[in-house]
Protein backbone atom coordinates (compact mmCIF):
# COMPACT_ATOMS: atom_id res chain seq x y z
CA UNK A 1 0.00 0.00 0.00
CA UNK A 2 1.38 3.37 -1.00
CA UNK A 3 1.23 6.51 1.10
CA UNK A 4 -0.80 9.28 -0.54
CA UNK A 5 1.45 12.10 -1.85
CA UNK A 6 0.05 14.69 0.57
CA UNK A 7 0.75 12.59 3.67
CA UNK A 8 4.09 12.13 5.32
CA UNK A 9 4.97 8.74 6.71
CA UNK A 10 5.68 9.11 10.41
CA UNK A 11 9.33 8.44 11.23
CA UNK A 12 10.41 5.81 13.69
CA UNK A 13 10.80 7.03 17.25
CA UNK A 14 14.64 6.96 17.21
CA UNK A 15 14.75 8.86 13.91
CA UNK A 16 12.25 11.41 15.23
CA UNK A 17 14.23 11.86 18.45
CA UNK A 18 17.50 12.31 16.51
CA UNK A 19 15.88 14.91 14.24
CA UNK A 20 14.38 16.69 17.26
CA UNK A 21 17.73 16.74 19.07
CA UNK A 22 19.50 18.09 15.99
CA UNK A 23 16.85 20.79 15.60
CA UNK A 24 17.04 21.80 19.26
CA UNK A 25 20.85 21.89 19.18
CA UNK A 26 20.60 24.86 16.82
CA UNK A 27 19.58 26.86 19.88
CA UNK A 28 23.30 27.10 20.71
CA UNK A 29 23.75 29.49 17.78
CA UNK A 30 20.95 31.69 19.10
CA UNK A 31 22.46 31.59 22.57
CA UNK A 32 25.90 32.70 21.35
CA UNK A 33 24.44 35.71 19.59
CA UNK A 34 22.31 36.60 22.61
CA UNK A 35 25.30 36.36 24.94
CA UNK A 36 27.20 38.73 22.67
CA UNK A 37 24.32 41.23 22.71
CA UNK A 38 23.93 40.90 26.48
CA UNK A 39 27.64 41.51 27.05
CA UNK A 40 27.55 44.52 24.73
CA UNK A 41 24.57 45.99 26.61
CA UNK A 42 26.24 45.32 29.97
CA UNK A 43 29.43 47.09 28.80
CA UNK A 44 27.59 49.99 27.17
CA UNK A 45 25.38 50.77 30.16
CA UNK A 46 28.18 52.02 32.47
CA UNK A 47 29.88 53.75 29.54
CA UNK A 48 26.62 55.52 28.85
CA UNK A 49 26.62 56.76 32.43
CA UNK A 50 29.88 58.56 31.68
CA UNK A 51 28.15 60.38 28.84
CA UNK A 52 25.13 61.28 30.95
CA UNK A 53 26.21 64.89 31.65
CA UNK A 54 26.42 65.56 27.88
CA UNK A 55 23.01 64.02 27.09
CA UNK A 56 19.49 65.21 27.65
CA UNK A 57 17.98 63.33 30.57
CA UNK A 58 15.11 61.85 28.52
CA UNK A 59 17.56 60.47 25.95
CA UNK A 60 19.75 59.03 28.68
CA UNK A 61 16.69 57.44 30.32
CA UNK A 62 15.60 55.91 27.01
CA UNK A 63 19.07 54.55 26.33
CA UNK A 64 19.45 53.16 29.84
CA UNK A 65 16.00 51.57 29.53
CA UNK A 66 16.75 49.94 26.20
CA UNK A 67 20.08 48.57 27.41
CA UNK A 68 18.49 47.33 30.63
CA UNK A 69 15.73 45.66 28.64
CA UNK A 70 18.29 44.06 26.34
CA UNK A 71 20.07 42.62 29.39
CA UNK A 72 16.80 41.26 30.83
CA UNK A 73 15.87 39.71 27.49
CA UNK A 74 19.34 38.15 27.37
CA UNK A 75 18.76 36.57 30.77
CA UNK A 76 15.38 35.22 29.61
CA UNK A 77 17.03 33.83 26.47
CA UNK A 78 19.68 32.18 28.64
CA UNK A 79 16.97 30.42 30.65
CA UNK A 80 15.33 29.08 27.48
CA UNK A 81 18.75 28.13 26.06
CA UNK A 82 19.39 26.03 29.16
CA UNK A 83 16.03 24.29 28.83
CA UNK A 84 16.43 23.71 25.07
CA UNK A 85 19.95 22.35 25.51
CA UNK A 86 18.77 20.02 28.27
CA UNK A 87 15.95 18.69 26.09
CA UNK A 88 18.30 18.26 23.13
CA UNK A 89 20.65 16.14 25.25
CA UNK A 90 17.76 14.02 26.54
CA UNK A 91 16.36 13.40 23.06
CA UNK A 92 19.84 12.49 21.82
CA UNK A 93 20.28 9.96 24.65
CA UNK A 94 16.80 8.51 24.18
CA UNK A 95 17.46 8.04 20.47
CA UNK A 96 20.78 6.34 21.15
CA UNK A 97 19.20 3.89 23.58
CA UNK A 98 22.14 4.18 25.94
CA UNK A 99 21.35 4.45 29.64
CA UNK A 100 17.85 5.76 28.99
CA UNK A 101 15.68 3.01 27.61
CA UNK A 102 12.37 4.83 27.40
CA UNK A 103 10.13 7.66 28.45
CA UNK A 104 9.04 5.96 31.68
CA UNK A 105 12.65 5.68 32.85
CA UNK A 106 13.26 9.30 31.88
CA UNK A 107 10.18 10.43 33.82
CA UNK A 108 11.29 8.48 36.89
CA UNK A 109 14.76 10.03 36.73
CA UNK A 110 13.41 13.57 36.30
CA UNK A 111 11.01 13.04 39.21
CA UNK A 112 13.81 11.75 41.42
CA UNK A 113 15.91 14.83 40.56
CA UNK A 114 12.98 17.10 41.43
CA UNK A 115 12.68 18.36 37.85
CA UNK A 116 9.23 16.88 37.35
CA UNK A 117 6.29 16.76 39.76
CA UNK A 118 5.48 13.38 41.27
CA UNK A 119 1.83 13.78 40.31
CA UNK A 120 2.57 14.43 36.62
CA UNK A 121 1.34 11.71 34.30
CA UNK A 122 3.28 10.31 31.41
CA UNK A 123 3.25 12.33 28.18
CA UNK A 124 3.48 10.88 24.70
CA UNK A 125 6.53 11.59 22.57
CA UNK A 126 4.62 14.00 20.30
CA UNK A 127 3.69 16.20 23.27
CA UNK A 128 7.28 16.24 24.50
CA UNK A 129 8.58 17.24 21.07
CA UNK A 130 5.94 19.95 20.81
CA UNK A 131 6.95 21.33 24.21
CA UNK A 132 10.63 21.34 23.28
CA UNK A 133 9.86 23.15 20.02
CA UNK A 134 7.87 25.78 21.92
CA UNK A 135 10.90 26.36 24.17
CA UNK A 136 13.11 26.88 21.12
CA UNK A 137 10.56 29.31 19.65
CA UNK A 138 10.53 31.25 22.93
CA UNK A 139 14.31 31.36 22.90
CA UNK A 140 14.18 32.70 19.34
CA UNK A 141 11.59 35.31 20.32
CA UNK A 142 13.76 36.52 23.22
CA UNK A 143 16.72 36.91 20.87
CA UNK A 144 14.63 38.73 18.25
CA UNK A 145 13.29 41.14 20.87
CA UNK A 146 16.77 41.64 22.28
CA UNK A 147 18.15 42.42 18.83
CA UNK A 148 15.27 44.81 18.10
CA UNK A 149 15.87 46.54 21.43
CA UNK A 150 19.54 47.03 20.64
CA UNK A 151 18.70 48.40 17.17
CA UNK A 152 16.19 50.84 18.69
CA UNK A 153 18.81 51.91 21.23
CA UNK A 154 21.34 52.49 18.49
CA UNK A 155 18.78 54.49 16.55
CA UNK A 156 18.00 56.67 19.57
CA UNK A 157 21.69 57.29 20.13
CA UNK A 158 22.25 58.11 16.45
CA UNK A 159 19.41 60.64 16.45
CA UNK A 160 20.62 62.31 19.64
Amino acid sequence: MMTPPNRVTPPSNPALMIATAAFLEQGRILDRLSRLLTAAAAILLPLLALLAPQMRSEIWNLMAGTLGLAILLGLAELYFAFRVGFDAALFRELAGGSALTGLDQLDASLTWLGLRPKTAGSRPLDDRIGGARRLLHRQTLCLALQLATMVVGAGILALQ
Side-chain angles (χ1 to χ4, degrees), residues 1-10:
M1 179 178 211
M2 291 184 56
T3 304
N6 60 349
R7 297 195 110 172
V8 176
T9 305

Side-chain angles (χ1 to χ4, degrees), residues 6 10 15 47 51 65 75 78 80 117 123 125 140 144:
N6 60 349
L47 292 176
L51 297 174
L75 293 174
L78 182 62
F80 288 119
R123 292 182 349 186
L125 182 61
T140 304

Side-chain angles (χ1 to χ4, degrees), residues 34 37 66 69-74 76-77 80 137-153:
S34 178
L37 292 173
T66 57
L69 181 59
I71 292 169
L72 290 176
L73 287 165
E77 186 281 334
F80 288 119
H137 290 147
R138 289 176 185 153
Q139 180 185 359
T140 304
L141 178 62
C142 285
L143 173 61
L145 291 172
Q146 185 183 29
L147 187 58
T149 301
M150 293 293 283
V151 168
V152 166

